[in-house]
Amino acid sequence: MNLQNIFNQIENTDPEIYERLDGRRELMQRFTKLGSKFALTAVPVVLGGMLNKAYSQAPASIVSILNFALTLEYLESTFYAKGLATSGLIPESQRPSFDSIAKHELDHVQFLSSTIIALGGTPVAKPTFDYTAKGTFPDVFATKDYATFLALSQTFEDTGVRAYKGQAGGLISNNDVLTAALQIHSVEARHASHIRSVRAALGASTKPWITLNNTGIGAAVAASYAGEENTNQLGVNIKALPSIKGGSSTSADTATEAFDEPLTKAQVLTIVMPFIQ
Amino acid sequence: MKTLKKLESIPVNGSMHRRKFLGYVGGTAAVATVIAACNHSDDFTGSLEATNGPSPVNLGSGDVGILNYAYALEQLEAAFYKQVITTQYSGMTADETSLLTDIRDHEVAHREFFKAALGSAAIPALTVNFTSINFSSRDSVLTTAKTFEDLGVSAYNGAGKLIKDVNYLLVAGKIVSVEARHAAYIRDLISYGSFANDNVVNPVTGLDLANDPPTVLKAASAYIATQINASYLPTK
């Protein structure tokens, strides 16, 4: 096995490999040191570990996550823009709130796009959306069905919160991007809380927080709340913790409301795909 | 109990990484079991009303330090809402009573979760100082609630990057969005439509607040009598 050849091939594939590691000389030195300790058969494993270190935190995976987030922000941003542009849909008294939410989503679109470009990536194009989700929901922009508009809004916001949460771990290598994603994540949660209150005031069975896996909407959006019924955190059974009411038990409602759950990228895409034409 | 003895031998507030911590007990499930066995020794109610002068508390370092930092903030919030519900301001509506009680229960669950997850590495109960709060005044209570919730959101947002273990990062994420839901609800109670106004969400970037532990603890210190040493917390 010729290490020099391996290095040359890696260099051809990625001229910046040594910037990701500690420079070619140090890499060689590490292998030289290892040579006395390891059989040559172990080299691929060691090399793999080093390359993993070099690439597991590479912008590519981060750009991919940000583009995923950008797609969700487009879904929300376009939805609110259309809603605000549809006269007779959003009551006057609620327009300031939706102006604010719409502006945030547009800010997120712009922030994510510029961050992706700064990382050397290419922002995904804005999809064309079908807010009936292939006929699952009425066309709120045609029917001016405010209740369904709010239900979709709640679902998008709660799904967004869960989507960002699910991606946080994938951003742990980049402090700036992770922090920004968390800062978007909590804004989506603020939106969700507000929308849920608006729906509650109109008679929906919702609170600002998510109880069990209750949708407060119906089976059509069940996937957006699946898993919220989890009551185990880091191996701690929340229901077995002491509550203020005394005794060593916390209600399932409290245990699930107190912790929002993540969704995987695959779960989110399953939810979102019907909305993309 | 052999496992318990080992757990107790871990220096309180000391530096300890998750792997090492779990190494003592052999896994998260075991931690929960051990903690359940420990709970009875620490009276749940009234622990915040210590009568002796509070001694300084060291949060510790690494991920444990960050978890203790979160535990400190949750202690503050839980104690606050406990008082809010015990001595309700005049004119508290049925809806407000119901949802503020929910928030109290969430904060208690957060507090008890951190206490359980940290086990013997947990800081002791803090002594709070609510002398500046008029619990009979809706304005005073809701303004303080807004302060605490927005501060909590900014604290978790700022602490995320300081966490090394993805599992801890995830659980912080699970809690921060609930704090943000609280914050939005309280803000709407004070001024309808202010759930995410420009005071908390940057009007250019659309990003919520993120504060580092020194900034958060300085703000929180007005309400915590116990002196908190955060000097060993990670800074990046």
Side-chain angles (χ1 to χ4, degrees), chain A residues 225-247:
Chain A
Y225 296 89
E228 286 284 2
E229 71 279 13
N230 176 38
T231 55
N232 187 300
Q233 306 295 343
L234 290 178
V236 175
N237 177 5
I238 304 302
K239 288 199 291 180
L241 293 175
S243 79
I244 199 107
K245 298 174 183 83

Side-chain angles (χ1 to χ4, degrees), chain A residues 6-251:
Chain A
I6 294 174
F7 289 157
N8 287 343
Q9 283 194 12
I10 295 171
E11 276 180 84
N12 284 341
T13 313
D14 179 8
E16 288 163 12
I17 173 67
Y18 298 116
E19 287 168 27
R20 302 183 196 280
L21 291 164
D22 310 317
R24 179 169 184 149
R25 183 187 293 172
E26 283 193 32
L27 185 60
M28 286 299 288
Q29 282 174 345
R30 273 205 255 176
F31 266 97
T32 310
K33 279 184 203 161
L34 288 169
S36 60
K37 293 179 191 165
F38 292 90
L40 270 180
T41 49
V43 166
V45 178
V46 175
L47 185 63
M50 285 182 177
L51 293 179
N52 194 33
K53 183 196 168 198
Y55 289 104
S56 65
Q57 306 181 352
S61 66
I62 289 178
V63 164
S64 158
I65 290 172
L66 295 180
N67 264 325
F68 168 62
L70 178 57
T71 305
L72 299 179
E73 297 291 351
Y74 272 132
L75 174 74
E76 293 180 317
S77 168
T78 309
F79 179 73
Y80 294 119
K82 281 189 83 166
L84 286 163
T86 305
S87 65
L89 174 60
I90 299 172
E92 274 311 304
S93 64
Q94 297 299 322
R95 282 191 76 87
S97 291
F98 282 103
D99 279 338
S100 168
I101 294 174
K103 185 181 174 304
H104 293 154
E105 310 301 8
L106 191 58
D107 288 345
H108 295 164
V109 164
Q110 285 161 355
F111 180 84
L112 290 170
S113 299
S114 53
T115 303
I116 289 165
I117 291 166
L119 290 171
T122 306
V124 289
K126 177 173 150 180
T128 304
F129 294 107
D130 166 15
Y131 290 105
T132 73
K134 315 259 188 284
T136 304
F137 305 98
D139 179 354
V140 295
F141 308 110
T143 61
K144 311 197 176 181
D145 175 352
Y146 184 52
T148 302
F149 178 81
L150 288 174
L152 286 170
S153 168
Q154 176 192 309
T155 306
F156 293 154
E157 298 294 345
D158 280 334
T159 305
V161 171
R162 301 189 68 183
Y164 276 96
K165 208 185 310 296
Q167 296 306 310
L171 301 174
I172 200 164
S173 64
N174 188 320
N175 281 349
D176 293 337
V177 174
L178 171 63
T179 302
L182 289 171
Q183 289 174 286
I184 295 176
H185 169 250
S186 60
V187 171
E188 304 294 346
R190 288 177 187 270
H191 293 170
S193 172
H194 177 81
I195 298 293
R196 296 174 69 91
S197 291
V198 171
R199 292 191 65 247
L202 294 175
S205 177
T206 52
K207 297 196 281 190
W209 24 90
I210 301 167
T211 311
L212 303 169
N213 58 1
N214 297 345
T215 64
I217 293 169
V221 301
S224 289
Y225 296 89
E228 286 284 2
E229 71 279 13
N230 176 38
T231 55
N232 187 300
Q233 306 295 343
L234 290 178
V236 175
N237 177 5
I238 304 302
K239 288 199 291 180
L241 293 175
S243 79
I244 199 107
K245 298 174 183 83
S248 283
S249 78
T250 294
S251 73

Side-chain angles (χ1 to χ4, degrees), chain B:
Chain B
M1 185 179 169
K2 199 177 172 187
T3 320
L4 187 58
K5 207 164 196 175
K6 274 190 179 174
L7 195 65
E8 282 172 343
S9 72
I10 300 169
V12 174
N13 308 333
S15 163
M16 183 169 39
H17 293 288
R18 174 183 157 87
R19 191 177 299 159
K20 189 175 169 191
F21 176 66
L22 293 183
Y24 276 91
V25 285
T28 3
V31 174
T33 312
V34 171
I35 274 120
C38 293
N39 269 343
H40 66 88
S41 64
D42 205 344
D43 184 20
F44 166 69
T45 51
S47 52
L48 276 153
E49 287 79 24
T51 44
N52 297 331
S55 27
V57 159
N58 185 351
L59 298 178
S61 63
D63 280 355
V64 163
I66 297 298
L67 295 185
N68 265 324
Y69 166 58
Y71 178 38
L73 296 175
E74 298 295 350
Q75 286 192 43
L76 174 63
E77 288 187 309
F80 169 73
Y81 287 107
K82 181 187 172 189
Q83 194 62 46
V84 168
I85 298 304
T86 304
T87 54
Q88 299 184 7
Y89 56 76
S90 56
M92 190 183 281
T93 67
D95 271 1
E96 288 170 12
T97 304
S98 171
L99 294 179
L100 289 170
T101 302
D102 273 6
I103 297 180
R104 177 199 65 183
D105 293 347
H106 302 162
E107 306 298 6
V108 168
H110 292 163
R111 179 188 70 192
E112 294 304 306
F113 161 71
F114 280 115
K115 185 180 176 185
L118 281 156
S120 61
I123 55 169
L126 302 174
T127 304
V128 293
N129 171 13
F130 291 154
T131 52
S132 65
I133 305 164
N134 178 1
F135 283 94
S136 63
S137 154
R138 187 178 187 271
D139 275 1
S140 177
V141 165
L142 294 184
T143 303
T144 308
K146 179 180 81 166
T147 301
F148 286 172
E149 298 295 349
D150 284 340
L151 190 66
V153 171
S154 80
Y156 282 102
N157 281 350
K161 68 174 183 182
L162 307 177
I163 298 173
K164 295 282 172 274
D165 186 307
V166 287
N167 298 307
Y168 293 162
L169 175 62
L170 177 59
V171 89
K174 291 180 180 201
I175 293 173
V176 65
S177 54
V178 174
E179 304 292 351
R181 290 174 190 275
H182 295 168
Y185 168 68
I186 300 286
R187 289 180 143 268
D188 275 347
L189 279 186
I190 295 171
S191 171
Y192 190 76
S194 70
F195 56 98
N197 72 7
D198 290 357
N199 293 336
V200 281
V201 180
N202 184 303
V204 175
T205 59
L207 302 184
D208 212 325
L209 294 174
N211 283 319
D212 62 14
T215 306
V216 171
L217 288 169
K218 186 161 182 281
S221 68
Y223 305 95
I224 302 176
T226 309
Q227 200 189 329
I228 295 176
N229 179 355
S231 61
Y232 299 102
L233 290 185
T235 55
K236 59 180 182 179

